[in-house]
Amino acid sequence: MNTIYQPADEQSIRTAAALLKEGQLVAFPTETVYGLGADALNEEAVKYIFAAKGRPADNPLIVHVADKSQLDDLCEVTPEAEKLMDAFWPGPLTILLKKKAAVPDVTTAGLPSVAVRCPDHPVALALLKESQVPVAAPSANRSGRPSPTTAEHVYEDMNGRIAMILKGGDCRVGVESTVLDMTGSVPCILRPGAVTREMVAKVLGSCTVADSVMRPLKEGEAAPSPGMKHRHYAPKASMTVYVGDHEKVIAEICRRYDAAENAVILAMENDIPAFGARHTLSIGASPEETAHLLFKRLRETDEMGVSLVLAQGWEGEEMVLAVMNRMARAAAFDVVKL
Ligand code: AMP
Ligand code: MG
């Protein structure tokens, strides 16, 4: 398949919208990561998403809408969910709600809930408005690879496999949306993102975080969110993340680097001098900057062909949870506290 690869402008967005309506796949930028979109109500089109990504069929998709008025046919919107939409949409908050019959089972992987979100990106919003269809869109990477945060990443993974890629620059946030389950008695975060537990609790009074967010699932344990049981974000090299005492972390990373054949350090910007002549890649100077850079850096470690990635991690709350959830998964939960 010949993939159209064009900067997003009025005309290319019109072309993309027409392709979506025909049941084709279009990748587009959002504020979190690039999405791989299909008409969420077109069963055949949604099946192509799973095929193009190599995604397991039991991993449900997020349905993107231009605004909350588009939800009427898709799900049952509760008053609490509406409060969240008013507070955080457009934005990086995905809400799980009871699905209606119009949403095909392939889109939700057979689950009774559907995940919905309105993205905060001018290109994504223009595409959703122009196409007039709800758009099912997981991240536009091949399954198992880090999510794409630039159009070039999407091209690497999807050229020849989908109808079109809309180029729209780097994604601002850099990690995927918060997934919040609103189908239970207490709002519960299944995947942390830039809309934090603290921010949701301010609006609703309470919000919990699923405890499987920061640990591997146990043998035979049911995943609250199917995405959690799949291998994610992993670089080709093996990876260890270090947190805790600052001096000890730097000393231990240096020791392991020096003992390895071909390692690279994902270092906080201000600590780069402390690693001397060792090969470092910056992960910025704040959790927000790390979120923005992490997936790009993981792809770079693949290109460099290193055998070991040693990363400095963050400790704390709010955005730290989103960053450390991805780092821990990339490292297959090899997180060392010193
Ligand atoms: P992606 O769009 O690739 O970031 O993946 C979307 C993620 O949202 C999935 O991996 C699931 O973990 C989560 N998700 C989507 N729909 C549901 C649902 N109905 N129930 C639970 N989790 C969901
Ligand atoms: Mg994904």
Side-chain angles (χ1 to χ4, degrees):
M1 177 183 291
N2 179 33
T3 301
I4 306 169
Y5 185 47
Q6 274 179 6
D9 57 27
E10 237 174 81
Q11 182 160 5
S12 60
I13 289 171
R14 232 177 287 136
T15 306
L19 288 167
L20 283 177
K21 280 196 273 197
E22 276 173 26
Q24 306 264 10
L25 303 190
V26 174
F28 59 95
T30 81
E31 82 280 30
T32 58
V33 302
Y34 273 74
L36 177 60
D39 176 352
L41 306 182
N42 179 335
E43 201 173 322
E44 288 308 309
V46 172
K47 281 186 188 159
Y48 286 140
I49 292 183
F50 288 91
K53 279 182 63 88
R55 183 176 176 104
D58 64 353
N59 197 357
L61 308 178
I62 295 170
V63 178
H64 295 70
V65 292
D67 57 60
K68 66 181 183 186
S69 70
Q70 225 183 336
L71 295 174
D72 293 348
D73 298 335
L74 305 179
C75 56
E76 284 167 23
V77 179
T78 60
E80 281 75 28
E82 193 155 4
K83 273 191 210 163
L84 293 172
M85 292 166 193
D86 293 341
F88 300 115
W89 281 11
L93 177 68
T94 295
I95 306 175
L96 296 188
L97 292 166
K98 196 159 179 267
K99 97 172 181 75
K100 288 189 178 167
V103 182
D105 280 340
V106 273
T107 302
T108 63
L111 293 169
S113 55
V114 61
V116 291
R117 169 168 119 85
C118 176
D120 184 18
H121 192 290
V123 173
L125 286 171
L127 179 64
L128 289 164
K129 282 192 185 120
E130 180 74 29
S131 72
Q132 292 288 311
V133 293
V135 173
S139 48
N141 51 295
R142 296 294 300 273
S143 214
R145 296 211 73 201
S147 296
T149 55
T150 70
E152 292 72 30
H153 294 164
V154 181
Y155 186 85
E156 278 166 29
D157 280 17
M158 291 296 161
N159 182 39
R161 308 178 70 84
I162 63 176
M164 185 168 188
I165 300 167
L166 281 174
K167 287 197 242 184
D170 288 13
C171 300
R172 177 172 57 81
V173 177
V175 293
E176 305 86 344
S177 59
T178 305
V179 175
L180 179 69
D181 186 357
M182 289 297 291
T183 66
S185 51
V186 184
C188 180
I189 290 178
L190 305 183
R191 178 176 75 185
V195 172
T196 62
R197 190 197 68 76
E198 291 81 353
M199 289 160 75
V200 173
K202 247 190 204 160
V203 175
L204 296 183
S206 69
C207 177
T208 60
V209 178
D211 76 344
S212 45
V213 158
M214 283 312 294
R215 60 164 174 81
L217 288 171
K218 294 170 193 142
E219 189 77 28
E221 181 182 0
S225 177
M228 284 186 184
K229 67 175 183 246
H230 298 292
R231 185 178 147 93
H232 248 113
Y233 319 121
K236 289 175 186 148
S238 62
M239 174 165 164
T240 307
V241 183
Y242 292 92
V243 294
D245 182 87
H246 189 237
E247 309 279 292
K248 285 187 190 161
V249 164
I250 290 175
E252 180 59 13
I253 289 178
C254 289
R255 190 193 65 75
R256 276 204 62 201
Y257 180 100
D258 294 344
E261 280 283 296
N262 189 11
V264 69
I265 300 167
L266 299 187
M268 292 180 190
E269 185 71 34
N270 301 332
D271 289 331
I272 287 176
F275 292 111
R278 297 175 186 86
H279 194 166
T280 56
L281 293 173
S282 172
I283 51 167
S286 66
E288 286 72 21
E289 284 178 27
T290 303
H292 179 74
L293 289 168
L294 180 65
F295 291 146
K296 181 184 242 172
R297 294 296 182 246
L298 291 177
R299 280 179 182 253
E300 284 166 7
T301 68
D302 281 354
E303 277 155 32
M304 290 161 57
V306 295
S307 55
L308 180 63
V309 178
L310 301 164
Q312 285 182 285
W314 294 96
E315 286 181 298
E317 295 193 319
E318 305 262 3
M319 196 61 183
V320 168
L321 195 60
V323 171
M324 291 308 291
N325 169 272
R326 275 50 171 209
M327 272 202 174
R329 273 155 217 277
F333 293 97
D334 187 11
V335 181
V336 178
K337 168 128 179 151
L338 297 173

